[in-house]
Structures are given as C-alpha cells and as structure tokens.
Amino acid sequence: MEFPLDLLTSPALWLTLVLIFTMKKGIHFVPQNRGYVIYRFGKYTKTLSSGLNFIVPYIESIEADRNLKEQTLVIPQQSAITKDNIALMIDGVLFIKVIDAAAATNNITDYKLACTQLAMTSMRNAIGSMELDDCFQNRAAINAKIQEAMQEATQPWGLIVLRFELLEISIPPSIKEDMEKQMTAERQKRSAILTAEGVKIAAITTAEGQKQARVLDAEAAKSEQVLAAEASKEAQILEATGKAEAIRLVAIAEAEALTTIGASAATSEGQKAVALTLAQGAIEAHKAIAQEGTIVLTDGKTGDNIANTVAQAMAVSTAVNQSASRQ
C-alpha cells in the first residue's frame, strides 16, 4: 500500500510524530526496586523511584538504572597466609544492597567490581591476623570482621553490606596430613584419659562398696549382739521371775504344810504322831552317826537321850498348841 506523497510531506504528520516521541522521552514507568539516576546537561539532578515519573525531554536524561534489590557477589578463590605462616586457599560469597542509586553511580565506576576486590583484600587481612586453628574454629568471627571492614569502606558508595560468608578454606596436603596425625593423637589421648577415669571410678566404686559392706556387716553383728543380749536379759529375767515364783510357791506350800501340821498336832492323835516322828528322827540321827565311824562313843544313856529328846519335842508341841488355842 502506498502513502500519498502529500501526506508524507505534511507538516501536521511530522509534528504529531515529534510530539509522540517527545512524550515518550518525558514519561517513564520505573519498576519496583529500581532507581533511575537523572542527569540534566551532564549534572546529577534527581533519582526516579518506582511508579509514574516525568522528566524534561532532551534536557534531562537517564544516566543509570540501578537495582535496589539484595545482590549476591561470588568472591573468587585466592591465597591467604595465616599468622603462623600457613598458606590457605579461601573463597566466599558477599551479600550487598544499593540504598543510594545516585551515590552508586556518581561515587564509583563499577560498584560490583569494587566490592569484589575489597572483599578479597579484607579476606586476606582477616586470615593474616589469625592462626590456622583459629581460622577453622572462628569462621563466624572472620565473617564478622570482613563485613565490618567492608561496611565502612562501601558507605560512600551508597551500599550496605548485609553479610559475608566463607565458603571453603583449603589447606596444603602436608598440613592436612599433620593435622590428621594431631587429631589421631588427640583422640588417643582422650581415650586414654577416659579409660583411666573409668578405672579410677570403678576402683572408687568398689572401695565404697566394700566399705559399705563392712559397715553393714558391723551393724548387723552389733544388732545381733544387741538382740542376743536382750534375749539373754529377757531369759534371765524370766528365769529369775520363775525362781522367785517357785520360791514363793514353795514358801506358801511350806506355810500351809506347817499350818496343817500345827492344826493336826493340836489333837491327841497328832501329838502322838509328832512324838513318834521325833523319836524316829532321833533314831535315824544316831544311826547315821554310827554309820559314819567305826567307833561310837556313848555314855550308856542312849535310850534315855532318845526318851529325853522325845519328851522335849512333846513339850514344845504342847506349848505351841496352847499358844494356838489362846489365840
């Protein structure tokens, strides 16, 4: 389709096209988390934030489009020497964020390259101030030290260093072999210490057990002695009580027997029985005396003596009966 020649040469058409192009250069839609740096005649004027923005066409221009999101920079592997002169290969990752698009454009040519180089330098400085063992044990301290150093340096560039993380620390093979030997020796040392402590605890436990057993045995023996003594005491008390009761009963029986004998002796038949008993006792006494020796001395009045003895016994019995009858 061919346009008419007069339409192409129409001033109205060209004016319309110029107006449309001018409006397009003056109206800008800035995306979220982006910052447009505006220059006017080569001088910084303002920074456009997200949304609809207007600039003066042909006078103002967009010098830079900065990303305001958090960005990740991989720090390449490099060599670093520790305080005890051990060469290590280290690398890391850096997390930054642009908070001032104008400063990131006007104060630094390439802020990403500058941050990478600064991180490498800070890594070498941090590793150089620590010994090898500290480098493995205090990775968090190394990260914090690098982040602090970079935070001060990147502030004029309109950046904020969110965090830094060491990815890997590589050591030479010879140093690695020595460290493995050291770790093996340390494990053997700990094993020996634990074994010795176990033997010590076992010996202490055995001694404590034996001591407690002896104490328990002594207490048991003491308890048995106490029980035996109490049992013996109870037995003696019971025996003494039994003997006392027996004596009391014998005394009562004898008293009753004497009472009965005395009552019987008060009669004429009882007196005759008493006389007979006394005479028999006297005869038995003389017989016993005669049996104990081969020679018996007598005054020839043995019969009289027996009769006298019987008479005396009868007199005593009579006196007792008279006393009882008066009462």
Side-chain angles (χ1 to χ4, degrees), residues 148-162:
E148 182 181 0
M150 293 195 62
Q151 186 65 41
E152 297 178 0
T154 58
Q155 186 174 2
W157 303 343
L159 306 176
I160 180 173
V161 178
L162 300 177

Side-chain angles (χ1 to χ4, degrees), residues 39-288:
Y39 278 19
R40 178 182 298 172
F41 298 119
K43 183 179 179 181
Y44 169 75
T45 302
K46 59 183 177 179
T47 301
L48 301 182
S49 58
S50 59
L52 177 62
N53 293 273
F54 298 93
I55 64 174
V56 180
Y58 308 112
I59 298 177
E60 297 178 342
S61 62
I62 300 175
E63 182 65 22
D65 176 9
R66 296 302 181 194
N67 185 359
L68 303 181
K69 298 179 182 180
E70 183 177 345
Q71 303 178 53
T72 304
L73 301 179
V74 177
I75 310 303
Q77 192 176 57
Q78 62 174 332
S79 176
I81 300 177
T82 63
K83 189 176 181 180
D84 49 354
N85 297 323
I86 304 298
L88 302 177
M89 298 299 295
I90 57 175
D91 57 0
V93 59
L94 181 66
F95 298 88
I96 63 172
K97 185 176 182 180
V98 177
I99 58 175
D100 188 349
T105 303
N106 300 327
N107 298 340
I108 190 70
T109 302
D110 187 347
Y111 68 88
K112 292 184 178 181
L113 177 61
C115 287
T116 301
Q117 297 297 322
L118 181 60
M120 295 174 67
T121 303
S122 300
M123 287 168 59
R124 287 193 294 268
N125 293 336
I127 295 297
S129 62
M130 304 176 69
E131 295 184 354
L132 180 61
D133 293 338
D134 295 333
C135 293
F136 287 101
Q137 297 175 2
N138 299 322
R139 295 172 68 99
I142 296 175
N143 295 336
K145 185 179 294 187
I146 295 173
Q147 179 182 356
E148 182 181 0
M150 293 195 62
Q151 186 65 41
E152 297 178 0
T154 58
Q155 186 174 2
W157 303 343
L159 306 176
I160 180 173
V161 178
L162 300 177
R163 61 186 180 277
F164 178 86
E165 297 290 341
L166 281 173
L167 292 179
E168 185 178 2
I169 300 177
S170 301
I171 60 177
S174 59
I175 301 300
K176 184 176 181 181
E177 183 178 356
D178 293 339
M179 291 180 64
E180 291 177 352
K181 292 180 180 179
Q182 182 180 359
M183 292 175 62
T184 302
E186 186 68 24
R187 285 194 295 267
Q188 292 177 351
K189 176 182 177 182
R190 292 179 181 177
S191 177
I193 292 174
L194 292 176
T195 302
E197 290 180 353
V199 172
K200 177 182 177 181
I201 293 174
I204 293 174
T205 304
T206 302
E208 288 291 336
Q210 294 176 353
K211 177 182 177 181
Q212 292 179 2
R214 289 194 295 269
V215 171
L216 293 176
D217 291 341
E219 291 179 353
K222 182 178 179 181
S223 299
E224 291 179 357
Q225 293 176 356
V226 171
L227 292 175
E230 291 180 354
S232 177
K233 178 181 177 182
E234 293 291 335
Q236 292 176 0
I237 292 174
L238 292 175
E239 184 179 359
T241 303
K243 289 181 178 180
E245 184 66 18
I247 293 171
R248 188 179 68 82
L249 293 176
V250 170
I252 293 174
E254 290 179 352
E256 291 178 353
L258 290 175
T259 301
T260 303
I261 292 172
S264 299
T267 62
S268 59
E269 290 79 1
Q271 291 180 1
K272 292 179 180 181
V274 169
L276 178 60
T277 301
L278 292 174
Q280 290 176 348
I283 293 170
E284 292 295 330
H286 283 283
K287 186 185 292 186

Side-chain angles (χ1 to χ4, degrees), residues 306-324:
I306 295 174
N308 292 332
T309 301
V310 173
Q312 293 175 359
M314 291 296 296
V316 172
S317 175
T318 302
V320 170
N321 291 332
Q322 290 177 358
S323 177

